[in-house]
Amino acid sequence: MPRKRTDKFVVCRDTEVVAHLEPGLFPAGRQSEWTEQNRTLTFSIHPLNSQVAITVAGKQPSESLSQRVPVYEQDQVVHICGLAGVPDTRLPFVNDTHAVFCTLQKIMETSSQERVAVGVDSLLRMGALYREAMLRQIRVLQEASSVTEFIAGEVDTFHSMHAVWHLLEIIYLTTNLPGLSTSIVPYFMEWLNLNFPAPLAEDGQQILASADLALNTELWPYMKKLALRGHVSVLANTLERVAPELSAQAAKWARDIAKTARNMPLGSSEETAGSFNGRWRRWSEELQNMATAIASLLPSDDVTLESLNTVVDIMRGDADAISEEGESWQDILGALLLYSEPTAQADRLPSLAGVVVEQFQAAEFSVLDRALVALLNYELPEFLVFCNQIDPWLSAHMADLMDHISILDVCRAAFAVDPREHYLLALGEVYVGHENLWQVGLDYLGLGGVAKCVMVEYAVRIPLESDAKARQVLGVCKKYELAAAVDRIHRQLGRQQWRRGRLGAAIANFAEVGDRASIGLICDQLWDQYLASGVLAYGPVVDSVMAAGLSHERLLFLVRFRDFHESYKAKQFVEAGGILLAILESEIAPPYAVADLLVDAIPLLEGDELVFSAEQTLELMRFTVPWSGGGQ
């Protein structure tokens, strides 16, 4: 008989991370010889709990081979390997976001019942909780004692999830908040600098700390990046810092540019569009004049003037300068929005993004790039597909949010199935199979609109290792009104407890679903045990069940027979006789027990004390007819 052994075998998304089995399934360095000796691998996948059993098997029965095949130790081992769909590092994140998900569904349900629309601010608060959980997960991963390739991949995944989620909030929620500017530009720049930070603060500190600042080759690329990202205050400070080390002409222009940068107009919800546009036009004209003046000095032996000119060109919104200096499409799009169309609204994004993205090789885009571009172009079905490629958690929760803000219908028209239900089902089934997340999984299925018949099949396959877990599973099933699951689980528990000899618990479970036939069989077993041993030991079992208010004729028979037995033992023969006769007259005794009861009545009839009256004796005789042949 093969021995059972537990090992770890982790499959993570599209890549496979293997903790090699020791010893291996075949001798090291002898793989070819191993495969030629009638060997192959066979496996069986558990339908729910993410485990697979792997063992060595023969390609053909050994009896059909002409020569004997050697047997290795590993041939006798069955490896039970776990397919880890949810890494342990994610458990806090899953639990935190599950709580947010449930709260959001409750808010939506309450608003629907009260026929009150959910405000944008409420959805933003829920979105903020999701994003806080993502950022917290990133910090936890980055603080890990050893940053493995897996941890680094998780950090990238959560960065991508946050970037996607944040941008959707800005496009569909933030710019719709009452009382705020409807221009998407300030929010887009906030998104850009939070999710794709550049230049890094530590890089700037290192550059500014150099001895010969003006000669540092990294200085001007750094300042151009500051201009691209709209960090005009830092740019002004840096220009003023380097000015004393420049030529007199370059220093003058550096100070003038710094002053102009500090005066960059900032819009507010209290200012009219006309007023802001007027201030912006005057500021842009000032930059244009600067650019013309500096350009007249070029070419020059002073290369600093050329770099200053590029900074001015970026700030005045010159598309060529921005495209040349931008390292990513996000850089270019942000700078064009900020300096060319500072009052642009969200509906301007598709046309601008199209112009920018066509400057890059789309084939080289990452999945994150593709998701963001699809979102900017309002290509929501493609966007959801890319979200799922980033992480199933993202596609499930994104589809849920999109449904709540009423933009999922376009996806429903493009998908063969409802995308919210589909992605929540896919995520929930992963969690249901996890020993610590099964309840989270059932919540995602239940709140995700998954059909009850589907939920039942998942619920009944959850391993029930303890009574406490069984009660929890049943509680969740009752919460979602999964009557079929409750019935099947109670019957399953009843059978398990019956096999383990826990007859009282078994009867209680069968009673929950009205399985009177199984209860009767257990009572028959208790009666047979009494007949075989002569010891009336079923009292505690019956008392515990009857105390719960269960009514069953076989249980009542056992209780009444115990009363008869106790009265007889106490030599209260008249009372015992009355109980015995009452059992027979009420017909609660199973037919096969009647003969045993009549045998127990014989000592009472033959005793010195008169127990039965003549009428009662005749009644007893009536019950003997089937065995005396008198009934024929």
Side-chain angles (χ1 to χ4, degrees):
M1 181 70 182
R3 301 191 308 277
K4 179 179 176 181
R5 174 171 169 175
T6 302
D7 297 281
K8 186 179 181 182
F9 185 83
V10 179
V11 177
C12 178
R13 292 189 296 276
D14 298 330
T15 59
E16 206 172 77
V17 183
V18 181
H20 292 285
L21 306 179
E22 292 292 344
L25 288 173
F26 41 76
R30 300 172 63 182
Q31 292 91 329
S32 298
E33 177 187 350
W34 184 87
T35 57
E36 292 172 357
Q37 293 178 345
N38 190 42
R39 282 182 168 79
T40 186
L41 294 179
T42 183
F43 65 91
S44 177
I45 300 177
H46 192 282
L48 187 64
N49 69 359
S50 300
Q51 287 188 333
V52 57
I54 304 175
T55 188
V56 176
K59 298 177 183 178
Q60 300 178 18
S62 57
E63 295 82 0
S64 66
L65 301 177
S66 58
Q67 57 183 6
R68 180 180 176 275
V69 177
V71 177
Y72 302 118
E73 178 186 358
Q74 283 296 86
D75 295 345
Q76 307 301 313
V77 178
V78 176
H79 296 270
I80 307 299
C81 307
L83 302 175
V86 184
D88 290 344
T89 53
R90 277 205 186 194
L91 295 183
F93 171 78
V94 171
N95 285 313
D96 290 346
T97 54
H98 163 248
V100 179
F101 174 80
C102 292
T103 302
L104 178 57
Q105 310 317 307
K106 186 64 176 178
I107 291 174
M108 300 307 297
E109 180 185 1
T110 302
S111 67
S112 176
Q113 292 173 349
E114 298 177 356
R115 298 183 179 180
V116 178
V118 177
V120 173
D121 54 344
S122 297
L123 293 173
L124 276 174
R125 281 197 299 271
M126 293 295 102
L129 293 175
Y130 278 130
R131 292 200 291 116
E132 285 174 12
M134 297 177 206
L135 295 175
R136 185 164 55 248
Q137 181 71 4
I138 291 172
R139 289 193 297 270
V140 169
L141 291 169
Q142 290 175 334
E143 293 169 359
S145 55
S146 60
V147 180
T148 63
E149 183 179 350
F150 171 76
I151 294 295
E154 283 284 276
V155 171
D156 289 342
T157 296
F158 278 93
H159 273 304
S160 298
M161 289 163 57
H162 186 275
V164 168
W165 192 283
H166 192 186
L167 184 58
L168 182 130
E169 280 188 357
I170 289 171
I171 294 175
Y172 288 101
L173 293 176
T174 305
T175 53
N176 290 320
L177 272 175
L180 293 185
S181 169
T182 57
S183 170
I184 199 170
V185 176
Y187 308 113
F188 186 89
M189 296 307 296
E190 176 191 358
W191 168 82
L192 178 61
N193 288 308
L194 176 61
N195 294 282
F196 305 93
L200 299 178
E202 50 266 32
D203 293 341
Q205 294 171 359
Q206 186 176 357
I207 291 170
L208 294 175
S210 57
D212 297 317
L213 181 58
L215 299 178
N216 191 321
T217 57
E218 297 179 354
L219 174 64
W220 292 105
Y222 169 68
M223 285 203 284
K224 293 172 186 176
K225 195 72 169 180
L226 288 174
L228 282 169
R229 290 302 187 92
H231 300 308
V232 290
S233 296
V234 181
L235 173 63
N237 292 338
T238 307
L239 286 168
E240 291 174 348
R241 172 80 177 272
V242 74
E245 301 182 28
L246 303 178
S247 65
Q249 193 174 47
K252 170 190 175 302
W253 286 113
R255 293 188 179 95
D256 288 348
I257 295 170
K259 180 180 178 181
T260 303
R262 291 188 192 281
N263 292 330
M264 178 178 172
L266 299 175
S268 70
S269 58
E270 299 176 354
E271 185 179 20
T272 64
S275 172
F276 175 78
N277 288 334
R279 291 194 301 122
W280 187 269
R281 185 169 55 254
R282 291 189 292 273
W283 185 75
S284 297
E285 290 172 353
E286 185 177 348
L287 284 170
Q288 179 62 51
N289 294 334
M290 281 187 181
T292 302
I294 296 174
S296 67
L297 303 176
L298 301 175
S300 170
D301 294 336
D302 190 349
V303 295
T304 302
L305 288 173
E306 195 168 322
S307 295
L308 288 169
N309 189 56
T310 301
V311 171
V312 174
D313 282 343
I314 291 171
M315 293 175 65
R316 69 183 182 87
D318 183 89
D320 292 336
I322 291 173
S323 296
E324 183 177 346
E325 297 299 330
E327 297 178 3
S328 67
W329 65 266
Q330 293 96 328
D331 278 344
I332 298 174
L333 180 58
L336 286 176
L337 280 169
L338 179 62
Y339 297 120
S340 298
E341 302 195 33
T343 59
Q345 297 185 351
D347 58 7
R348 184 77 177 95
L349 289 175
S351 56
L352 276 178
V355 172
V356 172
V357 169
E358 68 181 9
Q359 302 176 33
F360 294 82
Q361 295 292 330
E364 299 177 0
F365 276 7
S366 66
V367 177
L368 172 60
D369 288 324
R370 297 176 189 277
L372 295 174
V373 171
L375 179 57
L376 291 170
N377 288 325
Y378 297 98
E379 297 169 347
L380 298 183
E382 292 84 351
F383 166 69
L384 263 185
V385 171
F386 292 132
C387 284
N388 193 55
Q389 292 178 15
I390 292 172
D391 195 271
W393 182 96
L394 180 62
S395 56
H397 291 81
M398 187 60 73
D400 179 61
L401 178 63
M402 290 168 66
D403 186 43
H404 296 324
I405 60 180
S406 303
I407 60 172
L408 194 63
D409 285 344
V410 64
C411 298
R412 290 191 171 102
F415 281 57
V417 294
D418 185 280
R420 178 178 181 271
E421 180 180 333
H422 170 73
Y423 287 123
L424 287 174
L425 170 60
L427 184 68
E429 68 180 0
V430 172
Y431 293 161
V432 167
H434 193 283
E435 60 181 348
N436 297 320
L437 298 175
W438 60 267
Q439 188 167 354
V440 172
L442 287 179
D443 280 340
Y444 276 105
L445 298 180
L447 297 174
V450 176
K452 288 186 178 181
C453 59
V454 176
M455 287 189 66
V456 167
E457 295 306 316
Y458 283 104
V460 298
R461 286 171 171 78
I462 296 174
L464 305 176
E465 299 92 348
S466 65
D467 290 345
K469 184 173 180 180
R471 288 192 296 270
Q472 291 175 337
V473 174
L474 286 167
V476 175
C477 291
K478 292 174 182 177
K479 171 184 174 182
Y480 291 109
E481 300 179 350
L482 305 179
V486 171
D487 184 280
R488 289 167 63 178
I489 290 172
H490 272 302
R491 292 178 191 274
Q492 175 187 343
L493 289 171
R495 288 190 294 268
Q496 289 177 353
Q497 291 157 344
W498 192 353
R499 287 194 299 269
R500 296 169 185 167
R502 299 178 58 194
L503 302 183
I507 291 173
N509 275 289
F510 288 131
E512 287 286 343
V513 294
D515 189 350
R516 302 181 67 83
S518 295
I519 295 173
L521 290 174
I522 295 176
C523 293
D524 292 347
Q525 179 179 329
L526 292 171
W527 179 254
D528 290 341
Q529 289 174 354
Y530 161 68
L531 293 179
S533 65
V535 178
L536 202 64
Y538 59 72
V541 173
V542 174
D543 288 340
S544 64
V545 175
M546 296 297 286
L550 175 62
S551 176
H552 191 283
E553 62 275 6
R554 297 291 175 83
L555 286 171
L556 184 58
F557 162 65
L558 293 176
V559 170
R560 295 296 285 157
F561 183 78
R562 181 186 58 180
D563 295 341
F564 161 74
H565 190 274
E566 291 175 350
S567 296
Y568 189 92
K569 187 177 180 180
K571 299 186 182 303
Q572 298 174 357
F573 300 124
V574 175
E575 181 178 345
I579 294 173
L580 184 62
L581 188 59
I583 292 174
L584 291 168
E585 291 176 334
S586 63
E587 298 183 352
I588 59 176
Y592 57 77
V594 173
D596 298 312
L597 294 175
L598 293 174
V599 170
D600 287 334
I602 293 174
L604 297 176
L605 290 167
E606 296 177 344
D608 296 333
E609 183 179 356
L610 181 63
V611 174
F612 298 109
S613 65
E615 183 180 348
Q616 290 175 325
T617 303
L618 289 172
E619 184 69 10
L620 282 174
M621 291 177 65
R622 182 173 67 84
F623 289 104
T624 66
V625 171
W627 285 271
S628 64
Q632 297 180 355

